[in-house]
Amino acid sequence: MSNPPITVAYDAVMQTGECPLWHAREQALYWVDIPAFTVHRLDPASGAHRAWKLPSEPATLAISDQGGLVVAMRSGFAHLDTGSDEVRLTQIVAAPYDQSITRFNDGHVDPAGRFWVGTIYEPRDQPAAQMFVLEQGKLRQAWSGGMTNSNGSGFSPDQKTMYHADTAAHRVYRYDYDVAAGTVANQRVLHQFSADKEHHYGGRPDGAAVDSEGNYWVAMFEGARIVKLSPQGELLGEIGLPVRCPTMPAFGGPDLRTLYVTSAGARPTAELAQYPLSGKLLAMPMQVAGRAEPAYRWR
């Protein structure tokens, strides 16, 4: 798979850019900068940019079927009114964990309008992260433990499979998914990436997107690449990136054939010299289309 031309979609440097989300109705891209407590919005056609500074770290976003966004923050879930330049947040549900050591992380809305969001257990000394589901304003736990940093969630086009990555384990899983019940079963490994930083290290799986053909595209944090996996876990190709720590891809644009990629900013001088675009929002044309992101359903 040859590398597509890569451009900078938004030039400002994020501390940790995450969760790009294409809003098809608005033809706009949203994303977050987690440690900067900020939600961003870009109109690619005009270049117009807006931002909202929140009181708690935002980790992931969902389109709301009643307008605005649903934001998963360290403090819990809230609705953000994006029709105003002021920060207008309405709490939905408080965080169900100890906020001093845990926060929400990656998430996606499923085909039935439920918002699945996992957590990151920040001490990283045990696999104590959890997966939660926000459904019609109520929060339930989908599973607990077995992971340290929940990432890479996504759903297959036929609505029968859920994908999920544990970044710390360098592993992507697949599950049988019941769209009617909103439950998963039969966990198995989709792909195991090398954790050997001395030999053959290509990064660890972070955020992901599923294209219209059912392939799984995952950002390899510290690996300077996006990897494309088949539904069976076969490595189909990769895209080299001018950032060392990409965090998540998302398909967008009028035809859903633009791949947007967020990234973390570089700290060491040597890393920044090698990856000068670190922290910026990237865009590239794709031959395959993505899929429109479902909206969170309040009812």
Side-chain angles (χ1 to χ4, degrees), residues 71-205:
V71 187
M73 303 180 292
R74 182 184 293 272
S75 59
F77 288 86
H79 176 263
L80 175 64
D81 178 2
T82 56
S84 172
D85 288 336
E86 298 179 6
V87 177
R88 295 179 178 174
L89 278 176
T90 304
Q91 187 182 66
I92 301 170
V93 63
Y97 47 68
D98 181 349
Q99 296 179 39
S100 69
I101 55 174
T102 301
R103 66 166 171 80
F104 281 121
N105 200 43
D106 176 270
H108 271 288
V109 173
D110 73 12
R114 308 177 187 93
F115 195 10
W116 292 68
V117 183
T119 66
I120 176 171
Y121 179 69
E122 292 174 317
R124 293 178 171 85
D125 56 2
Q126 58 180 304
Q130 304 170 81
M131 176 65 74
F132 292 93
V133 183
L134 182 69
E135 185 172 8
Q136 298 183 358
K138 296 181 179 180
L139 193 65
R140 62 178 167 87
Q141 186 183 87
W143 70 78
S144 178
M147 58 186 179
T148 303
N149 184 359
S150 177
N151 250 315
S153 59
F155 299 88
S156 63
D158 66 6
Q159 304 182 4
K160 294 181 179 180
T161 301
M162 178 179 176
Y163 299 102
H164 175 263
D166 181 358
T167 300
H170 298 248
R171 188 178 303 130
V172 180
Y173 296 99
R174 62 177 294 174
Y175 303 80
D176 294 336
Y177 169 66
D178 186 330
V179 66
T183 57
V184 296
N186 191 23
Q187 181 195 62
R188 61 264 197 211
V189 175
L190 179 75
H191 195 92
Q192 176 69 59
F193 293 96
S194 173
D196 183 354
K197 293 195 174 185
E198 299 297 324
H199 307 91
H200 311 297
Y201 182 66
R204 43 201 163 111

Side-chain angles (χ1 to χ4, degrees), residues 246-267:
T247 54
M248 186 173 174
F251 288 89
D255 58 0
L256 296 176
R257 290 179 183 268
T258 299
L259 192 68
Y260 291 98
V261 181
T262 48
S263 63
R267 293 179 180 85

Side-chain angles (χ1 to χ4, degrees), residues 14-91:
M14 305 290 112
Q15 294 181 53
T16 304
E18 265 284 9
C19 184
L21 173 70
W22 180 254
H23 197 305
R25 184 176 60 80
E26 296 182 9
Q27 290 292 291
L29 187 81
Y30 289 91
W31 73 96
V32 303
D33 187 349
I34 298 174
F37 290 65
T38 305
V39 174
H40 293 267
R41 180 189 187 275
L42 177 69
D43 180 339
S46 67
H49 171 263
R50 297 166 64 200
W52 297 266
K53 184 91 168 183
L54 305 187
S56 180
E57 299 105 308
T60 188
L61 307 169
I63 299 166
S64 166
D65 70 353
Q66 296 185 8
L69 300 174
V70 175
V71 187
M73 303 180 292
R74 182 184 293 272
S75 59
F77 288 86
H79 176 263
L80 175 64
D81 178 2
T82 56
S84 172
D85 288 336
E86 298 179 6
V87 177
R88 295 179 178 174
L89 278 176
T90 304
Q91 187 182 66

